[in-house]
Amino acid sequence: MIKLLQEPLVSFLLLGFILYLYYTNVAQDDVSEDTKVEISVTPYEIQTLKKEYTKKYDKKISEEELTLYIQDLYRQKVLLEESIRLNLHKSDTLIVKRLVEKMEFILLGSVEYTEPSETQLYEYYMKNIEDYSELKRVSFVHIYFSDVAKMNVLYNLARFGSLSPSGVKNFGEPFQGSLSYRNISYQQVQKKFGKYFASKLFKLKKGVWHKGLHSKYGVHLVYITDKISTHPYKFDEVEARVYDDYLAQRTDKIIKKAYKDILQNYNLGEQK
């Protein structure tokens, strides 16, 4: 019986039956003129319908066809409104994912990409001079993945959440080797992970998570915990890196603040 209930078609039919009972016994009794939701089709939407029809069929839409299209648009709006009222969108993982992605896109759109001045970049360079110095050795932790998709999921969690470098053993996939390296040289990194990994690793900022470091094993999330440097590179030599790092840090800061502002509208339940 349990196996039968787990079948998608059976679950769908069961949901339909529940909704039918709801509407026949509950919903219709609760509806009054005062509680009805106003739904309308705007002149702009009608104009858009006409343009799309002309573009698709290379002719003007007839009044009869336009009436049918408008009726269908009303149908879509009514069903959409009703699905939201029943919270169906909250139980559909694809819809939830799409809405979250749209909100993230909106948050990104709130970032003002004003160009930093050379003075601002130089001040940032001096403040983070260790990140733009020639390194002798580096200390880092990493989380291993066999493919990029799995890594991207955790990167988003790490970027806007709290992922401690000390907790790397609890994430990712099993790795045949250490997840933490202390004061390791460029040659040692190259021997262990490959030349590409080493060349990227020795240019990363300290104290933040970095994604997409490919090695001969797969792909890694990396966090630089410490650096031993010799002398700084000249500003002109690393200006492009400084520029990218500056914009990335500013973007993350603005997005995190925007989320914090939105969070003021909600009470989060206790984690269990």
Side-chain angles (χ1 to χ4, degrees):
M1 184 65 179
I2 295 177
K3 185 176 181 181
L4 180 63
L5 290 174
Q6 291 176 340
E7 290 294 326
L9 180 58
V10 175
S11 299
F12 178 78
L13 293 174
L14 183 60
L15 175 61
F17 179 68
I18 292 172
L19 289 176
Y20 171 76
L21 291 178
Y22 173 79
Y23 276 105
T24 54
N25 295 293
V26 180
Q28 299 305 318
D29 296 334
D30 294 338
V31 176
S32 67
E33 289 297 326
D34 295 335
T35 60
K36 286 185 177 181
V37 177
E38 185 70 26
I39 293 178
S40 61
V41 174
T42 65
Y44 174 78
E45 289 175 313
I46 294 175
Q47 191 64 29
T48 301
L49 277 174
K50 291 179 178 179
K51 288 182 178 179
E52 290 180 349
Y53 184 92
T54 301
K55 184 178 180 180
K56 185 176 182 179
Y57 297 105
D58 196 26
K59 67 174 184 177
K60 290 185 178 181
I61 190 171
S62 68
E63 289 299 320
E64 293 78 10
E65 286 178 307
L66 181 59
T67 299
L68 291 177
Y69 273 88
I70 293 174
Q71 289 175 352
D72 187 64
L73 187 54
Y74 270 117
R75 181 186 67 83
Q76 292 180 41
K77 289 190 174 191
V78 167
L79 292 180
L80 175 61
E81 190 69 31
E82 192 65 10
S83 71
I84 293 173
R85 190 174 74 85
L86 294 173
N87 287 324
L88 297 184
H89 60 294
K90 293 183 178 180
S91 60
D92 191 312
T93 56
L94 291 178
I95 293 176
V96 170
K97 181 180 179 181
R98 180 60 177 156
L99 290 176
V100 170
E101 287 175 348
K102 291 196 75 170
M103 276 306 304
E104 290 175 344
F105 181 78
I106 291 172
L107 292 181
L108 281 172
S110 69
V111 178
E112 296 182 7
Y113 287 98
T114 53
E115 285 294 306
S117 66
E118 188 165 328
T119 300
Q120 289 175 308
L121 291 179
Y122 187 77
E123 289 175 353
Y124 183 84
Y125 159 79
M126 291 300 298
K127 185 178 180 180
N128 300 276
I129 192 67
E130 187 180 32
D131 290 319
Y132 308 109
S133 299
E134 184 175 338
L135 300 181
K136 287 181 61 179
R137 294 180 178 273
V138 66
S139 299
F140 71 97
V141 298
H142 72 100
I143 304 175
Y144 165 75
F145 297 91
S146 57
D147 64 72
V148 174
K150 293 179 181 177
M151 179 207 63
N152 284 336
V153 172
L154 186 59
Y155 173 71
N156 287 331
L157 297 176
R159 186 182 178 194
F160 299 110
S162 178
L163 176 57
S164 171
S166 62
V168 294
K169 65 180 181 297
N170 299 316
F171 298 93
E173 300 173 49
F175 180 73
Q176 294 183 349
S178 177
L179 299 176
S180 176
Y181 293 87
R182 181 74 179 167
N183 295 335
I184 187 170
S185 68
Y186 184 95
Q187 289 75 20
Q188 289 172 315
V189 174
Q190 181 176 329
K191 183 178 179 179
K192 176 64 179 176
F193 293 93
K195 186 175 181 180
Y196 177 83
F197 185 96
S199 65
K200 290 291 184 180
L201 181 74
F202 272 67
K203 295 178 182 178
L204 298 181
K205 279 182 62 63
K206 185 174 78 173
V208 293
W209 286 100
H210 300 273
K211 69 171 182 174
L213 266 75
H214 290 267
S215 73
K216 57 188 179 181
Y217 305 104
V219 65
H220 308 254
L221 279 182
V222 174
Y223 189 101
I224 305 294
T225 57
D226 198 16
K227 294 180 176 182
I228 298 177
S229 59
T230 54
H231 63 275
Y233 294 107
K234 293 180 180 179
F235 176 70
D236 292 344
E237 296 176 337
V238 293
E239 187 173 2
R241 279 174 54 196
V242 174
Y243 175 84
D244 290 340
D245 291 343
Y246 177 90
L247 288 185
Q249 186 181 78
R250 187 176 66 177
T251 299
D252 280 358
K253 184 177 180 180
I254 293 175
I255 292 177
K256 287 177 181 177
K257 183 182 182 303
Y259 174 70
K260 187 176 181 181
D261 292 341
I262 293 174
L263 200 57
Q264 300 303 312
N265 301 320
Y266 301 90
N267 289 320
L268 303 184
E270 294 183 4
Q271 295 184 4
K272 296 180 180 180

